[in-house]
Each structure stands twice: as structure tokens, then as C-alpha cells.
Amino acid sequence: AEHRVVAAGSTLRNELGQPLDVLVDGTLTIEDGAMIDVSARGYAADVTHPDAGLGGIDSGGSHLGRGGLGGGSTYGSLYRPQEAGAGGRSSSGKRGGGGVRIVADSLRLNGNPDTPAIRANGGNRTSSSSRGAAGGSIWITAPEILGQRPIEARGGTSGGSSRGSGGGGAITIESNVVDPSVYSARSWGGTTSQVGGAGSVWITYPGDTEGEGVVVFANDGRGKTTELPSLGSGVAQAGSGLVDGLGVERLQFAGDGF
């Protein structure tokens, strides 16, 4: 079996505007001090998904979470995210997060638990006029995921109260063995005063059927509506209650369009 390593001190990135596929027939290790980072490498400023619309001129970019200050329409997949995040509006907008797909037998996130191992964040402010961009997509399929380093698809921050922050992106984790720290995966919206809406974190386990898993929506304590256009119509049914005492509801989505 293969053993591929992202070595300490290195960063694996995508080609600008293109998805990154990391496919390993064996173990993929991200060493301490290394990172897979497609942040601010998705849609450019003033650009969104072809099936979505742009928001107001001062708004942040949207993805699963809506951009702050009147962001454009949301889009993307809760289950199989592959879309980039939209850029912030106007020439002062930042670039959205890119998309990364990881398939391996084992994924090892070695090192400092305060340092992200995988990021697809939207671009952050560089001036007072910056509009934050939306987080991108991270889709991981690995029977075993070990390590305590965060995974992020966060919206980017804006330049101030008159500019919108980016909406959160989408993270899906398909695994048999998941370190509990994976529940710290972050798809928050951008956190300047005109906050973006939360993106999604979707986690599935052995025995889960299509559309069944743990879904987490969190926005770091900041209130903002999150819409889920990719779910279609149907009913969210109560599942097996709390998961591992972590206060996360297990939901099954059922109905036409799922």
C-alpha cells in the first residue's frame, strides 16, 4: 500500500480556480507544520456558481452559508461537496475557498491541535473596503481518520460594518473510525460584524444509509440563517439522539429530492 506524506513545512495547494484531488491507495499523513490549503483559491471577486446569483454590491460571497449584508443565493451539496466558494462583491471582494477531495485508507492529521491540517477558507480582508469570500468544499473518504488538527471551510472576514463577510463552506467526512476532535471541523461564516451564515459539516458512519448521518451547523455563537438548497423537499426526522455525548443531533433526511 502507498504511504504519501505532506512533509513538515510544506503546503499542498490547488491550481487557482481548479479542484484538488488527493487519491491515495494507502495512508495519507499530514505532518506537523504541513497543511493542505486551498483557501482563497476558488471563485474570484464578483463571481459565483453558474446556478447562483450575486448579492448586493457590499455583500460577502455565499456557498452553503449566505454571505453577510445581503449575500447572493446559496448553492452546493451537503453530502458530496465539490464546489468552490463565491468571491466577495466588487473589485474589493476577496477570492472564495477552493475545493479538495481526499480519498485514502487512513488519514493522519499529525501535530498541533491548534493548527488546521486542511483548509478551504474564503479570502479575508486586506483593507477596510474588503468584502469577505465564502468558504469552499472539503470531502474526505477514509475508513480511518486519526489526529486532532482542525479541518476548516470558513467564510472570510470583511473590512468592517459596512461590508459583508463570507458564508461558510461545506465539509463532508465519510469514515469508520473518527477521532472525536473531527467534531471541531469548522464551516463558520466570516466573523466581522456583518457575519456570514454557517456552512455545513456532514459526518457519516458504517451502516448509515443514503441521506443518514450527523449534520453540524455552527457559527461560533453568531446568529445567522443558513439555507440548504441542495436538500430539496422532504422532512428532517429525529434520529438516535445525541452522538457520543457531544450534543450533536443525528438526523435522517427523507423525502423527494434527497
Side-chain angles (χ1 to χ4, degrees):
E2 294 180 286
H3 184 192
R4 300 296 183 184
V5 176
V6 183
S10 63
T11 301
L12 180 62
R13 293 189 172 93
N14 59 324
E15 184 179 346
L16 198 65
Q18 299 298 315
L20 175 65
D21 293 330
V22 184
L23 311 178
V24 179
D25 184 17
T27 299
L28 172 63
T29 298
I30 303 175
E31 292 187 337
D32 190 12
M35 185 183 303
I36 295 176
D37 191 2
V38 298
S39 297
R41 300 184 71 80
Y43 287 119
D46 250 357
V47 179
T48 187
H49 190 277
D51 295 333
L54 292 169
I57 193 62
D58 290 320
S59 64
S62 297
H63 185 178
L64 254 292
R66 187 180 290 273
L69 204 62
S73 54
T74 58
Y75 60 90
S77 172
L78 183 73
Y79 305 138
R80 300 179 180 88
Q82 300 177 75
E83 294 77 18
R89 284 303 316 270
S90 89
S91 60
S92 298
K94 310 315 291 182
R95 197 170 191 119
V100 59
R101 174 76 168 112
I102 297 174
V103 179
D105 294 332
S106 178
L107 174 61
R108 301 180 183 181
L109 312 177
N110 294 347
N112 187 340
D114 295 326
T115 304
I118 305 169
R119 299 196 313 178
N121 296 338
N124 286 315
R125 62 188 175 198
T126 54
S127 72
S128 61
S129 62
S130 295
R131 287 78 159 167
S137 296
I138 300 172
W139 179 10
I140 299 171
T141 301
E144 178 184 67
I145 301 176
L146 302 175
Q148 300 183 8
R149 294 177 62 192
I151 298 167
E152 296 185 343
R154 299 170 56 177
T157 56
S158 70
S161 60
S162 62
R163 303 289 187 264
S165 294
I171 299 172
T172 287
I173 298 169
E174 300 170 326
S175 187
N176 301 343
V177 177
V178 179
D179 190 292
S181 66
V182 168
Y183 281 94
S184 70
R186 304 162 181 164
S187 60
W188 306 334
T191 55
T192 312
S193 56
Q194 298 290 348
V195 300
S200 62
V201 178
W202 179 262
I203 302 175
T204 63
Y205 294 94
D208 286 343
T209 59
E210 180 74 16
E212 184 178 29
V214 178
V215 62
V216 181
F217 299 103
N219 213 26
D220 197 27
R222 296 166 174 83
K224 184 77 174 180
T225 300
T226 295
E227 302 142 14
L228 298 175
S230 62
L231 293 181
S233 61
V235 177
Q237 303 171 341
S240 57
L242 302 183
V243 178
D244 298 332
L246 293 171
V248 180
E249 286 290 341
R250 188 177 185 82
L251 301 178
Q252 178 175 353
F253 294 93
D256 294 339
F258 293 106

